[in-house]
């Protein structure tokens, strides 16, 4: 005997191997509470429309509430032999309240049900992710505030370029993560605009449903306008996964810097022991494993995005079982991003920047050469001529193993009569940094205003969230 809910037209039971292959419960069971929330909204609407009686709606809703509590509190174990979470919840409901439970699936299909559940799941998790990004921004901003005057070399092509501050460098990541929050919340808002519930299997229904009602109850703005699209659209998952991938790319770039900075070659930072690991053979080792893992896990999330895009590229309208494959990719992307954010905020909070090492590195590499040229420009020389003279001075330093700061005034004057005593103050690292007061630049005041903006952004976001 076939014990499936859809068993009516079959004369044989599903082959065991096929049953296992077909089943999604091992992974979709995590959406039980979203599934129940959707069913409660649906039952409410059925009752209000007179499709089932108000009493029946109450009975169904009360039992669904209990089922949710029972699962959450461990009194009801999810049956891993069920086909999927939707069937599991419905069959427990029917076991408990009998025939009334069988009315829940009126004017609904698993196709609109799953399209809804995945949206509700992603909405909940996206809210958590945004909160986690906020914590990371807070950790970076606090560290930037503490080190907004710590001078380090800024790089282009991985070559020392111009002096910047460590605070300025960290605030660049804050800009990226603020964009991530905007991108992710925009995608989430778009996802929550149109409700698929009530699209039914594909064609809509003959019952007198009120799709705006269920949309309102579940936090959507309106019902989706086309039922075929409603059941088969997974754009929202792709879009969110793309936004998650970009956030992972930012985490990965930061990871790469943390790995470099904690190497003996740089030693700009020291990670806290509680966020570092050792080697089983080399007793001296202290490894930045968290950052390396996050860099590695970025590939998983990109892979999840590619999985979703590839699942969808060849599916004709409307629902196809291929779409069941979306869930593991979505869940993996969510889990991975959350795990990385979870470890990064406290790792940044506890990391110890080493000012003297950053400063010492900034003293090498002629990173104040632009400022020597700017000095000459200030004395009236065109920039290109100033640039050429400075290049020759750097050439002399390289040949003689000197740095720009300790060439004598006579040596400078061999190249231009415009050089004077005030040059040395002008090209000190501190003045190079503090003169870069342009909007967004590296001067401590400019970084302070970037920090102020980030804090306002976080506050505004928290108010929005409430
Ligand atoms: N487990 C399925 C999924 O995740 C639910 C929808 C199944 N619908 C169907 N007609 N087979 O996509």
């Amino acid at each position: 005997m076939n014990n499936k809910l859809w068993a009516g037209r079959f004369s044989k039971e599903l082959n065991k191997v096929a049953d296992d292959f077909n089943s999604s419960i091992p992974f979709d069971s995590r959406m039980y509470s979203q599934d129940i929330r959707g069913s409660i909204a649906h039952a409410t609407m059925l009752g209000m429309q007179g499709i089932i009686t108000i009493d029946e709606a109450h009975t169904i809703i009360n039992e669904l509430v209990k089922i949710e509590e029972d699962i959450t509190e461990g009194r009801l174990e999810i049956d891993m032999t069920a086909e999927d979470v939707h069937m599991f919840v419905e069959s427990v409901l029917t076991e408990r309240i009998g025939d009334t439970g069988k009315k829940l699936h009126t004017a609904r299909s698993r196709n609109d049900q799953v399209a809804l559940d995945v949206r509700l799941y992603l909405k909940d998790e996206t809210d958590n992710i945004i909160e986690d990004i906020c914590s990371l921004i807070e950790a970076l901003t606090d560290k930037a505030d503490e080190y907004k005057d710590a001078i380090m070399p800024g790089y282009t092509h991985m070559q020392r370029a111009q002096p910047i501050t460590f605070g300025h460098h960290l605030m660049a990541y804050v800009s990226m993560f603020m964009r991530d929050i905007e991108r992710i919340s925009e995608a989430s808002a778009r996802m929550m605009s149109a409700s698929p519930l009530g699209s039914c299997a594909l064609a809509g229904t003959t019952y007198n449903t009120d799709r705006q009602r269920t949309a309102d109850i579940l936090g959507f703005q309106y019902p989706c306008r086309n039922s075929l699209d409603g059941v088969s659209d997974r754009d929202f998952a792709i879009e969110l996964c793309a936004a998650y991938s970009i956030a992972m790319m930012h985490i990965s770039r930061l990871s790469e810097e943390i790995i470099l900075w904690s190497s003996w070659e740089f030693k700009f930072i020291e990670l806290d022991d509680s966020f570092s690991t050792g080697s089983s053979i080399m007793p001296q080792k202290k490894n930045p494993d968290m950052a390396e893992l996050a860099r590695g896990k970025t590939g998983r999330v990109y892979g999840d995005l590619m999985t979703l895009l590839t699942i969808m590229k060849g599916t004709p309208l409307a629902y196809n079982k291929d779409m069941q494959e979306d869930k593991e990719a979505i869940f993996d992307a969510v889990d991975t991003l959350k795990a990385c954010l979870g470890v990064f905020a406290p790792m940044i909070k506890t990391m110890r920047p080493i000012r003297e090492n950053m400063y010492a590195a900034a003293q090498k590499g002629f990173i104040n050469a632009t400022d020597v040229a700017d000095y000459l420009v200030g004395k009236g020389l065109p920039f290109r001529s100033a640039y050429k003279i400075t290049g020759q001075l750097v050439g002399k330093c390289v040949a003689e193993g000197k740095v720009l700061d300790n060439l004598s005034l006579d040596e400078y004057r061999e190249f231009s009569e415009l050089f004077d005593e005030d040059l040395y103050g002008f090209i000190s690292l501190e003045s190079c940094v503090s003169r870069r007061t342009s909007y967004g630049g590296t001067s401590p005041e400019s970084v302070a205003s970037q920090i102020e903006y980030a804090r306002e952004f976080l506050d505004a976001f928290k108010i929005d969230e409430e």
Side-chain angles (χ1 to χ4, degrees), residues 156-174:
T156 62
H157 313 270
M158 270 313 278
Q159 300 290 318
R160 288 170 189 163
Q162 288 180 351
I164 57 167
T165 66
F166 192 64
H168 190 214
H169 201 118
L170 292 185
M171 288 310 290
Y173 284 97
V174 169

Side-chain angles (χ1 to χ4, degrees), residues 371-403:
D371 295 82
V372 172
D374 285 345
Y375 173 89
L376 292 173
V377 170
K379 302 267 168 167
L381 210 61
F383 180 76
R384 271 293 153 234
S385 318
Y387 173 95
K388 190 167 175 200
I389 291 171
T390 311
Q392 290 163 346
L393 279 159
V394 170
K396 173 183 169 70
C397 287
V398 172
E400 298 174 13
K402 293 178 172 167
V403 295

Side-chain angles (χ1 to χ4, degrees), residues 24 28 84 86 110-111 114 319 321 323-324 327:
S24 56
D28 69 15
D84 57 28
H86 326 292
R110 274 186 297 156
N111 298 351
V114 73
Y319 178 84
K321 191 76 171 204
M323 291 174 194
Q324 178 164 290
K327 272 162 251 15

Side-chain angles (χ1 to χ4, degrees), residues 118 122 232-245 300-315 322-334:
V118 178
L122 274 171
S232 63
D233 164 32
R234 295 293 182 274
D235 292 3
F236 60 94
I238 294 171
E239 198 181 354
L240 271 174
C241 201
Y244 295 165
S245 297
R300 292 175 68 121
V301 179
Y302 291 3
D304 295 327
L305 172 61
M306 208 39 68
T307 299
L308 293 173
L309 283 167
T310 311
I311 289 169
M312 295 309 293
K313 76 181 266 291
T315 49
D322 315 40
M323 291 174 194
Q324 178 164 290
E325 286 292 303
D326 63 357
K327 272 162 251 15
E328 284 164 294
I330 290 169
F331 299 157
D332 185 68
V334 165

Side-chain angles (χ1 to χ4, degrees), residues 170-312:
L170 292 185
M171 288 310 290
Y173 284 97
V174 169
S175 289
M176 298 177 218
F177 291 123
M178 287 192 295
R179 269 200 309 278
D180 288 325
I181 289 188
E182 287 169 350
R183 196 169 4 248
I184 291 171
S185 35
E186 282 163 21
S188 171
R190 197 161 17 260
M191 169 177 77
M192 292 304 289
S193 59
S195 164
L197 189 59
S199 298
C200 304
L202 74 164
T205 180
T206 55
Y207 293 95
N208 174 33
T209 52
D210 181 353
R211 295 192 55 208
Q212 184 64 52
R213 169 84 56 197
T214 47
D216 288 343
I217 297 173
L218 293 164
F220 292 91
Q221 289 171 33
Y222 44 79
C224 66
R225 291 192 176 82
N226 181 300
S227 59
L228 296 170
D229 182 47
V231 290
S232 63
D233 164 32
R234 295 293 182 274
D235 292 3
F236 60 94
I238 294 171
E239 198 181 354
L240 271 174
C241 201
Y244 295 165
S245 297
I246 296 174
M248 284 300 302
M249 177 267 285
H250 295 149
I251 290 175
S252 189
R253 293 182 76 180
L254 179 56
S255 299
E256 173 69 11
E257 306 230 59
I258 287 172
I259 294 159
L260 287 172
W261 290 340
S262 47
S263 71
W264 279 109
E265 283 68 19
F266 281 78
K267 262 294 164 251
F268 288 179
I269 59 163
E270 175 93 33
L271 290 175
D272 195 69
D273 281 3
S274 58
F275 285 90
S276 312
T277 53
S279 154
S280 57
I281 175 172
M282 297 166 281
Q284 85 285 9
K285 289 296 289 291
K286 180 172 170 182
N287 299 329
D289 282 23
M290 310 305 134
E292 291 167 62
L293 267 173
R295 190 176 55 183
K297 283 177 190 287
T298 303
R300 292 175 68 121
V301 179
Y302 291 3
D304 295 327
L305 172 61
M306 208 39 68
T307 299
L308 293 173
L309 283 167
T310 311
I311 289 169
M312 295 309 293

